[in-house]
């Protein structure tokens, strides 16, 4: 009786190991080549509105966007202009607060890629400004490897990113 129980436990462990291994292989192989191209950290090259620098961000804003293998992402963009500061223990004036956030973007959450529609959706879990939860962007990978993102709801804007080596 104990041999049968031992054999049953061994078979159960083998089946469980096969299922876990097969499941993890599916997860890795389920990532399309488009999704794999997103994974990594990207530096902001430019933000354009109608082909010109975004006036709220200036000619050379700085930013990073990060996509990981688990489907999480985060982004921050800082405008190219001096921004006010105040003591950490202090409270900014309304003018300082407005000037600090104008042109600044910061959020994190999850992402998904629609290869057919050539879109990436950022599902925001936390943000500096929560005017909407999902940001849908048309994407294109340029021949030089740069990533262009264009908001579906505002196609006059274009953000260009380069992979950090």
């Amino acid at each position: 009786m104990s041999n049968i129980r031992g054999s049953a436990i061994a078979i159960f462990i083998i089946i469980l190991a096969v299922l876990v291994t097969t499941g993890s292989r599916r997860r890795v192989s389920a990532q399309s080549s488009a999704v794999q191209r997103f994974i990594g950290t990207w530096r902001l090259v430019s933000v354009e509105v109608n082909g010109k620098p975004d006036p709220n961000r200036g000619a050379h804003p700085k930013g990073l966007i990060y996509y990981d293998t688990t489907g999480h992402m985060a982004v921050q963009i800082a405008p190219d202009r001096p921004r006010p500061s105040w003591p950490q223990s202090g409270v900014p004036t309304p003018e300082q607060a407005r000037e600090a956030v104008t042109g600044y973007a910061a959020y994190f959450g999850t992402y998904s890629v629609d290869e057919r529609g050539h879109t990436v959706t950022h599902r925001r879990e936390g943000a500096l400004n929560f005017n909407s939860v999902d940001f849908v962007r048309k994407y294109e990978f340029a021949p030089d490897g740069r990533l262009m993102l264009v908001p579906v709801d505002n196609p006059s804007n274009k953000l260009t990113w380069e992979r950090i080596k």
Side-chain angles (χ1 to χ4, degrees):
M1 188 71 155
S2 66
N3 270 349
I4 293 173
R5 186 178 300 159
S7 295
I9 291 173
I11 290 171
F12 174 75
I13 290 172
I14 291 170
I15 290 171
L16 184 60
V18 167
L19 290 174
V20 167
T21 303
T22 304
S24 66
R25 277 192 202 135
R26 270 193 222 127
R27 193 170 355 124
V28 171
S29 65
Q31 289 184 345
S32 68
S33 61
V35 171
Q36 290 175 358
R37 289 185 78 183
F38 276 90
I39 294 169
T41 304
W42 302 78
R43 178 183 302 115
L44 185 65
V45 174
S46 65
V47 180
E48 297 176 352
V49 177
N50 294 317
K52 298 178 184 164
D54 181 342
N56 284 327
R57 295 203 166 103
H60 304 286
K62 294 187 180 353
L64 292 175
I65 192 166
Y66 172 81
Y67 296 96
D68 75 11
T69 59
T70 67
H72 291 87
M73 60 80 54
V75 64
Q76 288 201 38
I77 299 173
D80 177 25
R81 60 178 166 70
R83 295 185 15 245
S85 296
W86 51 90
Q88 197 169 13
S89 61
V91 176
T93 66
E95 295 79 23
Q96 287 173 319
R98 183 178 56 251
E99 189 62 23
V101 300
T102 299
Y104 199 99
Y107 63 88
F108 66 91
T110 60
Y111 72 98
S112 60
V113 176
D114 175 359
E115 284 186 81
R116 283 191 178 160
H118 282 267
T119 60
V120 59
T121 300
H122 299 166
R123 289 185 181 79
R124 300 182 319 149
E125 296 173 5
L128 184 61
N129 179 1
F130 247 119
N131 59 338
S132 65
V133 176
D134 289 353
F135 281 163
V136 181
R137 312 271 194 244
K138 285 280 195 185
Y139 71 84
E140 178 184 338
F141 290 99
D144 66 1
R146 288 183 173 186
L147 170 63
M148 273 77 71
L149 298 177
V150 176
V152 170
D153 62 346
N154 193 357
S156 64
N157 287 0
K158 179 179 170 185
L159 293 89
T160 302
W161 303 87
E162 65 184 359
R163 184 179 299 279
I164 295 177
K165 306 266 185 241

